[in-house]
Amino acid sequence: MDIRQLSYFIEVAKHQSFTKAAHSLHVTQPTLSKMVKNLEQEMDVSLFDRSSRKVRLTDAGEVVFVQAQKIVNSLDDLSSSLYDIMNLNKGKITIGLPPVISTLFFPTIIAEFQARYPEVTVILVEDGAKKVEEKVADGEVDLGFVMLPVDAERFDVIPFVSQEIKLLVHEDHPLADRETRDLIDFKDDPFLLLSKEFTLNGRTVEFCRGEGFEPKVAYESSQWDFIVGMVEKNLGVTLMPKLICDRVQHGPFKTISLTQTFPWRLGIIMAKNRYVPYVSRKFITLVNQLPKV
């Protein structure tokens, strides 16, 4: 039994005529008759009473007609649903990302994605990069935007953007008179960091140690704008990607390039060896097409 047999059977039942059904289906009457006969043989029942000019369903035919319509309609619904998914007429995508990334990049990305695919629901889950990694691995989110590198054995990675890390200080800082300095010059300053669940926290501490000192961490926060606000009050210094520093250049700040620094590299991560939904693939394609600043 196949779906075509059921479709042909339904058409004959509706028209009560092999001739009319054959015309409707654009097949020859012998072909249609053979398909229905094969179906009857497979089911070992007579589906039609052919004794009069109009063919009529038998009792068994009535039962098969009801169920066959359900099967064909279900398959039609399946095809329509798949069409909607493949053409992004509906669907959902859940994305994990740190607040820094969401603030800098996602208003533009989401606006463009929603303009192209208005029926797709986008759910953003803001968290530190380390937690985003775990949520991607556990399947809680479809995609994650995190600071690289990550464990290549756990994740597939698509590079997203790379920026230089710079030092942000108040314009009245005594060392703000030069464009470039060694980080160790600021070893006695209080440092303002993102919280420990953010990868940039650990990278900053490691970098300071590599430069020969242990940073004096005065405050930690999950919000980069709070940290920038603390620098504005001259309560400490912070390491931030160039894009953040550029955003606040009209305030009482000075951005200082470091003689030695490290890159702020972001990537889109997916759990390795896991199916990537069509909507996720389209989202990645869009992200790669858009400007990164």
Side-chain angles (χ1 to χ4, degrees), residues 133-145:
E133 287 183 31
E134 294 309 314
K135 288 180 178 180
V136 171
D138 293 340
E140 292 184 42
V141 299
D142 300 305
L143 304 173
F145 284 73

Side-chain angles (χ1 to χ4, degrees), residues 232-284:
E232 184 178 11
K233 299 300 182 182
N234 206 7
L235 295 175
V237 302
T238 188
L239 291 175
M240 283 287 176
K242 178 180 179 296
L243 194 53
I244 292 286
C245 297
D246 290 346
R247 281 200 165 204
V248 299
Q249 60 183 341
H250 299 299
F253 304 101
K254 179 64 182 292
T255 299
I256 299 174
S257 296
L258 299 170
T259 53
Q260 299 292 328
T261 186
F262 61 97
W264 187 63
R265 295 190 299 116
L266 304 180
I268 305 171
I269 61 170
M270 299 164 285
K272 191 170 285 288
N273 299 322
R274 185 174 296 164
Y275 170 72
V276 181
Y278 189 72
V279 64
S280 297
R281 283 178 268 162
K282 283 295 185 181
F283 187 86
I284 292 169

Side-chain angles (χ1 to χ4, degrees), residues 78-91 278:
L78 175 60
S79 296
S80 297
S81 297
L82 286 174
Y83 178 86
D84 285 341
I85 293 298
M86 297 303 287
N87 290 276
L88 294 192
N89 293 326
K90 62 176 65 173
Y278 189 72

Side-chain angles (χ1 to χ4, degrees), residues 93-104:
I93 182 170
T94 305
I95 303 165
L97 67 166
V100 174
I101 300 174
S102 65
T103 302
L104 293 177

Side-chain angles (χ1 to χ4, degrees), residues 172-186:
D172 292 336
H173 193 288
L175 299 179
D177 58 331
R178 286 164 53 182
E179 298 296 323
T180 304
R181 282 192 177 272
D182 295 326
L183 184 61
I184 199 168
D185 294 343
F186 299 85

Side-chain angles (χ1 to χ4, degrees), residues 66-78:
V66 171
Q67 298 303 319
Q69 285 183 304
K70 291 180 180 179
I71 292 170
V72 171
N73 289 338
S74 293
L75 285 173
D76 287 342
D77 289 343
L78 175 60

Side-chain angles (χ1 to χ4, degrees), residues 29-284:
Q29 185 172 333
T31 297
L32 178 58
S33 297
K34 182 177 180 181
M35 290 288 283
V36 173
K37 193 65 178 177
N38 288 342
L39 180 62
E40 290 178 314
Q41 289 175 349
E42 287 183 36
M43 302 185 75
D44 197 24
V45 293
S46 294
L47 298 174
F48 292 107
D49 177 0
R50 298 171 172 83
S51 62
S52 61
R53 190 166 62 87
K54 283 190 175 183
V55 295
R56 300 184 184 279
L57 289 169
T58 62
D59 291 344
E62 294 280 2
V63 173
V64 174
F65 180 63
V66 171
Q67 298 303 319
Q69 285 183 304
K70 291 180 180 179
I71 292 170
V72 171
N73 289 338
S74 293
L75 285 173
D76 287 342
D77 289 343
L78 175 60
S79 296
S80 297
S81 297
L82 286 174
Y83 178 86
D84 285 341
I85 293 298
M86 297 303 287
N87 290 276
L88 294 192
N89 293 326
K90 62 176 65 173
K92 180 181 73 173
I93 182 170
T94 305
I95 303 165
L97 67 166
V100 174
I101 300 174
S102 65
T103 302
L104 293 177
F105 302 106
F106 265 72
T108 299
I109 293 173
I110 295 301
E112 183 62 30
F113 189 78
Q114 294 281 254
R116 295 189 190 185
Y117 310 111
E119 299 303 317
V120 175
T121 301
V122 180
I123 301 172
L124 300 182
V125 179
E126 290 190 296
D127 220 326
K130 295 177 182 176
K131 289 186 177 179
V132 169
E133 287 183 31
E134 294 309 314
K135 288 180 178 180
V136 171
D138 293 340
E140 292 184 42
V141 299
D142 300 305
L143 304 173
F145 284 73
V146 299
M147 187 174 177
L148 303 178
V150 295
D151 187 349
E153 293 187 359
R154 298 178 68 201
F155 303 106
D156 289 320
V157 179
I158 300 171
F160 173 54
V161 72
S162 182
Q163 290 246 315
E164 179 185 355
I165 291 290
K166 295 197 171 191
L167 188 73
L168 189 67
V169 304
H170 192 277
E171 62 183 4
D172 292 336
H173 193 288
L175 299 179
D177 58 331
R178 286 164 53 182
E179 298 296 323
T180 304
R181 282 192 177 272
D182 295 326
L183 184 61
I184 199 168
D185 294 343
F186 299 85
K187 63 182 177 62
D188 295 324
D189 281 277
F191 273 72
L192 311 169
L193 306 182
L194 286 170
S195 304
K196 288 183 175 62
E197 64 264 26
F198 293 85
T199 305
L200 187 56
N201 177 294
R203 299 284 171 79
T204 298
V205 173
E206 290 173 8
F207 182 61
C208 291
R209 290 170 179 167
E211 291 296 294
F213 69 99
E214 186 72 22
K216 299 175 182 178
V217 180
Y219 299 96
E220 292 183 343
S221 172
S222 62
Q223 301 297 322
W224 69 267
D225 51 349
F226 176 78
I227 293 175
V228 169
M230 298 289 278
V231 175
E232 184 178 11
K233 299 300 182 182
N234 206 7
L235 295 175
V237 302
T238 188
L239 291 175
M240 283 287 176
K242 178 180 179 296
L243 194 53
I244 292 286
C245 297
D246 290 346
R247 281 200 165 204
V248 299
Q249 60 183 341
H250 299 299
F253 304 101
K254 179 64 182 292
T255 299
I256 299 174
S257 296
L258 299 170
T259 53
Q260 299 292 328
T261 186
F262 61 97
W264 187 63
R265 295 190 299 116
L266 304 180
I268 305 171
I269 61 170
M270 299 164 285
K272 191 170 285 288
N273 299 322
R274 185 174 296 164
Y275 170 72
V276 181
Y278 189 72
V279 64
S280 297
R281 283 178 268 162
K282 283 295 185 181
F283 187 86
I284 292 169

